[in-house]
Amino acid sequence: MNVRLPIAVLMFLAALPVLAATAGQPAPNFTLTDTKGNAVQLSDFKGKYVVLEWTNPGCPFVRNHYNTRNMQSLQSEWNAKDVVWLSIDSSNQSSFDFMPPAKLGAWMQGKGAAQKAVLVDADSTTAKLYQAKTTPHMFVIDPQGKIIYAGAIDDRPSTRPDDPPAANNYVRAALTQATGGVPVAAATTTPYGCSIKY
């Protein structure tokens, strides 16, 4: 039986928002190019824990986490435990926040960043896929490819340098619990920071 839906119904369905990538769901796969021109696919890291960090060097919240070396210390801490850390800049290439790959890579290198790769999402497709809202917006993915944490980096939504070291870091907590065989206590929090420039 061939059922034709009225145009109004189809338009309504098309207007429904795509569900955000949330804890408990499979992490949507993506392929992006890093600042060195290499293609990086999320599914390449199946079998490992992966952290996705949405970033934007023009954002005061991001700068605070890098200026205090909070982000780099997290990256280094979990790199040593075989966790794959991917930083993604989804500032649309038409926005004033867009940074060319070479410049973005140089900024990260200058900060001593220690992620596996810095990825450029110049058309914001991957950010939309995850419904990433802010910089930073953090996701932790388990070895089976399921999101086990989504939200803020910590519980101190500020740009004060004293806050990152004193904060309850949700990403560290999620990774510590998950790698220790314990369910993640706070699997979802509200992200804070600068809005991603789609």
Side-chain angles (χ1 to χ4, degrees):
M1 179 176 166
N2 188 7
V3 177
R4 292 182 179 231
L5 293 174
I7 290 176
V9 172
L10 292 172
M11 288 176 65
F12 170 75
L13 292 172
L16 287 175
V18 176
L19 290 177
T22 57
Q25 292 183 338
N29 193 31
F30 60 82
T31 303
L32 290 171
T33 303
D34 70 13
T35 54
K36 298 172 184 174
N38 303 309
V40 175
Q41 186 165 249
L42 178 63
S43 58
D44 291 342
F45 306 110
K46 197 161 185 186
K48 295 189 175 190
Y49 284 94
V50 177
V51 175
L52 304 181
E53 167 213 344
W54 259 269
T55 191
N56 168 12
C59 173
F61 293 91
V62 169
R63 287 201 303 270
N64 191 44
H65 284 288
Y66 277 93
N67 289 342
T68 59
R69 298 198 57 77
N70 180 55
M71 197 68 80
Q72 301 94 310
S73 66
L74 264 180
Q75 293 163 351
S76 297
E77 175 185 347
W78 292 100
N79 280 349
K81 298 173 184 178
D82 206 28
V83 171
V84 175
W85 193 291
L86 303 173
S87 300
I88 304 172
D89 190 335
S90 291
S91 301
N92 195 282
Q93 58 193 345
S94 64
S95 81
F96 62 89
D97 269 349
F98 179 76
M99 193 176 275
K103 190 174 178 183
L104 176 61
W107 188 89
M108 287 291 184
Q109 188 174 15
K111 292 293 181 185
Q115 64 274 91
K116 172 83 172 170
V118 181
L119 307 177
V120 181
D121 181 26
D123 60 3
S124 310
T125 298
T126 302
K128 290 171 186 170
L129 189 62
Y130 277 78
Q131 297 263 310
K133 306 270 187 234
T134 62
T135 54
H137 192 161
M138 312 294 296
F139 293 82
V140 179
I141 301 163
D142 74 7
Q144 289 71 49
K146 185 177 75 176
I147 297 169
I148 56 171
Y149 175 74
I153 187 169
D154 60 31
D155 63 351
R156 301 272 182 109
S158 88
T159 57
R160 292 188 298 270
D162 292 344
D163 280 333
N168 171 26
N169 193 290
Y170 295 128
V171 175
R172 178 180 282 119
L175 285 167
T176 301
Q177 290 160 3
T179 58
V182 178
V184 176
T188 305
T189 62
T190 302
Y192 69 84
C194 305
S195 62
I196 294 175
K197 309 304 185 294
Y198 286 155

